[in-house]
Amino acid sequence: MNRDGINLKLKSDKNDGRLQIEKHPCFNKEAAELYGRVHLPVAKTCNISCNYCHRDYDCPNESRPGVTSSLITPEDAVRRIYDVKKIFNVISVAAVAGPGDSLAEPYDTMKTFELVRAEFPEVALCMSTNGLNLADNLTELEDRGVKFITVTLNAVNISISRKIYRYVDYKGVVYTDKDAAGLLLERQIEGIGKAVKMGFTIKINSVLIPGINDFHIKDVAEKAKKLGVYMFNVMPMISAEKSYFYKIGVKGANRKDVINITKGLSGINVMEHCRQCRSDAAGPLNEDLSKKLCESEVDEDAGECGLRL
Ligand code: CLF
Ligand code: SF4
């Protein structure tokens, strides 16, 4: 039992993991036709600074750039799943994917997984992260029954990644330039390697940044293969307005660029159906119900769109 009295011993066997992949709309394209996911925007802060990000918006590592989702509490997250299921009942996955980094301040993320697992044991748990704090939190995630983790890995070479990140804040110490890039890469590789060994199903997201890492994406895919990652997803950068890259004129990418860069990749599952969804996205991948949910929610104590700020 944890301090809130919730039984954390809910680990299931390996077959359960396979069954969950079959029903995960991101890890299995066919499942996207049948099943939906709910994002629970409980992660408010971030511990790194990506040059394509502006923190007025959701984390673009997993979300649609330029979109702002309201924060909710872990308790609201459970209510949100009930509300979504009233509109679309076939929810197979609940995930924390922002609006900041899920593990920058892990308490609310962990609490959300505990509450959701206790209330909806049939729903698989998923999370995305920049990977800085992943290795430190894997046991906690395993204890809460999380099965799927996405790590954003944009480069496996320090001279490239120092162009992408301005700083990294690890355990209260702020690192910049090549120190930031080196530390982040080390922590990402350690976290991914450990997570694979522990039996988590891992996806890597790489943000395609023209002129910065486009020629390097194949090296990231090779590293992902070596680490035993299940799926590789390349997302075109759409530079957030007011972000550093936007200001210095680094151009965004598009789906065509992604197709050109990923077409020769083999030996790893390449995701082709990512929707770069919001950190409060809900329902099937091809039909975000978050707006509909907004319109249908009638909780007068709640803030805009039924989400407590
Ligand atoms: Fe969400 Fe991501 Fe889990 Fe899917 S999304 S945390 S793995 S449940 Fe899916 Fe959305 Fe693409 Fe992400 S379509 S942005 S890949
Ligand atoms: Fe922004 Fe990067 Fe943090 Fe995501 S991980 S919120 S993109 S700084």
Side-chain angles (χ1 to χ4, degrees):
M1 293 273 194
N2 75 342
R3 66 191 162 98
D4 297 310
I6 292 168
N7 191 348
L8 296 177
K9 295 294 171 199
L10 286 164
K11 293 177 200 169
S12 42
D13 61 36
K14 299 269 183 222
N15 290 335
D16 187 28
R18 172 55 49 192
L19 205 63
Q20 290 183 336
I21 286 183
E22 285 170 15
K23 293 183 178 177
H24 196 309
C26 302
F27 284 76
N28 176 4
K29 195 174 180 181
E30 280 154 28
E33 307 286 319
L34 303 169
Y35 300 95
R37 48 75 182 99
V38 183
H39 280 175
L40 305 164
V42 298
K44 66 172 176 286
T45 57
C46 190
N47 44 10
I48 69 173
S49 179
C50 305
N51 284 329
Y52 47 75
C53 179
H54 190 276
R55 294 299 298 120
D56 280 354
Y57 307 115
D58 287 2
C59 171
N61 282 346
E62 178 82 3
S63 308
R64 187 174 295 280
V67 159
T68 310
S69 302
S70 304
L71 275 171
I72 60 173
T73 65
E75 290 76 17
D76 287 333
V78 171
R79 282 191 280 273
R80 183 169 173 77
I81 298 176
Y82 277 115
D83 288 342
V84 172
K85 282 166 88 62
K86 278 185 214 156
I87 306 173
F88 183 83
N89 190 35
V90 202
I91 294 297
S92 59
V93 177
V96 179
D101 184 73
S102 306
L103 297 175
E105 292 178 52
Y107 179 81
D108 281 346
T109 296
M110 297 298 177
K111 177 85 180 166
T112 299
F113 287 139
E114 287 168 24
L115 296 177
V116 171
R117 184 70 165 163
E119 198 74 15
F120 303 98
E122 74 288 1
V123 171
L125 301 177
C126 187
M127 187 198 77
S128 69
T129 176
N130 59 40
L132 182 67
N133 285 345
L134 181 59
D136 299 334
N137 284 284
L138 284 168
T139 305
E140 301 275 295
L141 291 167
E142 183 184 47
D143 286 348
R144 282 154 182 80
V146 174
K147 288 279 187 287
F148 298 93
I149 300 173
T150 293
V151 182
T152 300
L153 185 66
N154 293 327
V156 290
N157 174 311
I158 293 172
S159 63
I160 296 170
S161 72
R162 70 193 288 192
K163 295 179 190 161
I164 303 174
Y165 303 102
R166 256 169 307 160
Y167 70 80
V168 161
D169 180 346
Y170 185 59
K171 298 190 173 172
V173 180
V174 176
Y175 300 81
T176 57
D177 199 28
K178 63 181 185 336
D179 294 336
L183 177 66
L184 180 61
L185 183 56
E186 186 188 303
R187 304 291 302 147
Q188 288 170 324
I189 300 300
E190 184 190 343
I192 295 165
K194 262 173 111 172
V196 169
K197 284 202 184 91
M198 287 170 75
F200 290 94
T201 304
I202 303 296
K203 170 163 72 65
I204 282 183
N205 280 358
S206 284
V207 179
L208 174 62
I209 313 165
I212 304 283
N213 73 347
D214 43 357
F215 54 90
H216 180 61
I217 292 289
K218 287 192 171 60
D219 300 330
V220 181
E222 283 306 314
K223 187 69 181 177
K225 272 191 258 178
K226 280 193 192 130
L227 287 166
V229 164
Y230 183 82
M231 181 166 261
F232 187 57
N233 179 27
V234 180
M235 306 166 89
M237 183 190 78
I238 307 165
S239 195
E241 213 173 308
K242 298 193 267 185
S243 71
Y244 177 72
F245 277 163
Y246 183 87
K247 283 182 194 156
I248 66 166
V250 176
K251 296 272 181 277
N254 56 43
R255 286 309 307 175
K256 213 170 142 196
D257 300 326
V258 170
I259 291 164
N260 284 337
I261 273 171
T262 54
K263 68 182 169 203
L265 297 180
S266 60
I268 191 163
N269 300 303
V270 177
M271 186 176 187
E272 295 170 337
H273 63 294
C274 177
R275 309 297 293 211
Q276 287 179 273
C277 31
R278 304 167 56 105
S279 74
D280 63 357
L285 294 195
N286 63 1
E287 189 199 352
D288 185 4
L289 300 177
S290 53
K291 191 158 180 290
K292 209 179 259 183
L293 200 63
C294 244
E295 288 158 5
S296 69
E297 278 171 349
V298 289
D299 184 346
E300 287 175 3
D301 296 332
E304 191 191 358
C305 299
L307 305 177
R308 286 168 186 77
L309 302 175

